[in-house]
Amino acid sequence: MLLFGYMLVLIGFIFVNADEEFDIELLSEECDCRDWYGVCRKQGAEWLDENVWMYNCSSSNGANATFVGCMSPQKELISTKINKTVEGFWHACDEDDLRIRYEQEPRCLVESESYHVGSTFRLGTFQWICLDTGRWITGCFYKNETNNDVLLRIGETGYNGLIKHVCDRFVDYPGRVQYYAEVRDDVHVKHPTNKGVNQNFPPSKEELIQGKVNRWLHENSAAFVSNGEQFGARIRYLPASRSDWTKK
Ligand SMILES: *[C@@H]1O[C@H](CO)[C@@H](O)[C@H](O)[C@H]1NC(C)=O
Ligand SMILES: *[C@@H]1O[C@H](CO)[C@@H](O)[C@H](O)[C@H]1NC(C)=O
Ligand SMILES: *[C@@H]1O[C@H](CO)[C@@H](O)[C@H](O)[C@H]1NC(C)=O
Ligand SMILES: *[C@@H]1O[C@H](CO)[C@@H](O)[C@H](O)[C@H]1NC(C)=O
């Protein structure tokens, strides 16, 4: 009697187990959509993978989710197969059987301002040019007698009365560009003979310059600043590409 009861419990246990497995089967048949990872998603859901790939689920039969488009780093949705210009820069979202791909026009992002590749712009004393990989200094600005900004190319010298303006590379650090102003050494200047501490200029001349001009600059900067880790293109391979690789 005890043994019989025990067997009943055992049989019941097997049935419960079978039932559970059956439930799991049922659940997967009710899967509305499969996402890129093969996970079930509910109809009407919308999601973003890797901060770039936007999908939604429109079906109810376990079909693959719909690829909607690419999300730009500026949080603009670019629909699939569209190349769209947003605030002057193009963004392209493409799709084929093997992959989806997002690409944005390369840019230099400096102090929350975006610059096109090939364009020059000014930041303080220096003029920069934007390239795919980063920005390079192309020259330095100084003010002439009439208070106009004048551009000096690297290696050039400009004159403003007794003051010489120089834009060049540091001899010891060719990776840095400097701009400085100093009293012309080809013009005779009378000055007192007290000794100062500034090693860049004959000390008394600095005083003289400060009396002469109200703007006094000596600035330097890395000649190149990388665009950093901001990406230009992203790619995601689709399941079909895997079978392609294993074919033959
Ligand atoms: C999914 O996206 C497609 C393409 O943008 C759209 O036509 C469809 O209405 C969307 N479906 C749902 C459920 O959001
Ligand atoms: C989903 O995509 C994969 C790979 O491209 C394909 O093999 C499969 O048949 C698709 N499933 C459905 C339900 O369309
Ligand atoms: C997008 O369009 C621009 C011009 O409108 C073009 O220069 C660029 O190459 C295009 N990008 C892609 C990935 O097709
Ligand atoms: C200063 O620069 C401006 C613009 O380049 C120029 O028109 C002007 O003639 C210059 N003034 C002097 C005194 O060189």
Side-chain angles (χ1 to χ4, degrees):
M1 196 58 204
L2 190 69
L3 190 68
F4 183 66
Y6 188 72
M7 277 175 74
L8 264 183
V9 167
L10 202 68
I11 288 162
F13 184 70
I14 288 165
F15 263 93
V16 165
N17 254 6
D19 224 44
E20 271 174 7
E21 266 166 31
F22 189 64
D23 276 355
I24 288 164
E25 288 294 3
L26 254 185
L27 203 73
S28 68
E29 267 168 23
E30 279 171 359
C31 188
D32 292 335
C33 296
R34 295 275 179 191
D35 70 12
W36 186 74
Y37 302 97
V39 174
C40 285
R41 297 281 187 159
K42 284 244 171 293
Q43 189 173 35
E46 192 174 63
W47 64 97
L48 191 63
D49 280 353
E50 297 169 21
N51 286 321
V52 183
W53 319 116
M54 179 73 103
Y55 293 89
N56 73 21
C57 172
S58 322
S59 71
S60 55
N61 58 359
N64 290 321
T66 310
F67 176 57
V68 176
C70 309
M71 189 64 80
S72 79
Q74 297 78 24
K75 302 290 166 236
E76 183 88 23
L77 180 67
I78 315 299
S79 299
T80 180
K81 298 192 186 282
I82 294 287
N83 179 346
K84 179 178 166 189
T85 298
V86 181
E87 284 164 9
F89 293 84
W90 59 259
H91 302 256
C93 185
D94 190 34
E95 176 183 18
D96 66 21
D97 291 345
L98 302 185
R99 55 115 183 93
I100 50 181
R101 186 174 187 280
Y102 169 67
E103 186 178 355
Q104 64 168 352
E105 182 179 341
R107 66 173 79 191
C108 298
L109 185 61
V110 188
E111 291 172 2
S112 66
E113 194 73 42
S114 291
Y115 299 96
H116 289 276
V117 169
S119 68
T120 55
F121 56 95
R122 180 177 177 172
L123 279 181
T125 302
F126 300 106
Q127 188 194 53
W128 297 82
I129 186 165
C130 174
L131 299 177
D132 282 34
T133 48
R135 57 190 157 102
W136 289 88
I137 291 182
T138 51
C140 315
F141 287 96
Y142 76 98
K143 287 200 187 291
N144 69 8
E145 283 99 327
T146 48
N147 216 33
N148 291 103
D149 289 320
V150 178
L151 177 66
L152 294 175
R153 300 274 163 202
I154 294 171
E156 284 180 349
T157 301
Y159 297 98
N160 175 343
L162 279 179
I163 314 298
K164 177 167 113 176
H165 299 267
V166 180
C167 182
D168 66 10
R169 286 177 203 285
F170 274 104
V171 176
D172 294 341
Y173 301 96
R176 294 191 80 79
V177 172
Q178 65 173 338
Y179 160 76
Y180 60 89
E182 67 178 21
V183 169
R184 294 177 72 153
D185 50 16
D186 54 349
V187 176
H188 181 70
V189 184
K190 223 179 143 205
H191 56 81
T193 54
N194 61 313
K195 297 264 178 261
V197 286
N198 191 326
Q199 295 303 301
N200 289 317
F201 311 101
S204 55
K205 283 187 182 175
E206 194 185 356
E207 281 173 25
L208 181 137
I209 288 161
Q210 278 164 352
K212 185 90 184 151
V213 293
N214 46 21
R215 184 177 295 263
W216 179 253
L217 289 167
H218 184 180
E219 290 187 18
N220 71 84
S221 168
F224 173 75
V225 178
S226 160
N227 275 343
E229 83 269 13
Q230 64 165 303
F231 64 86
R234 295 279 294 269
I235 196 159
R236 168 179 258 190
Y237 290 97
L238 300 178
S241 70
R242 276 174 226 148
S243 48
D244 220 48
W245 290 337
T246 52
K247 256 184 220 159
K248 267 185 241 177

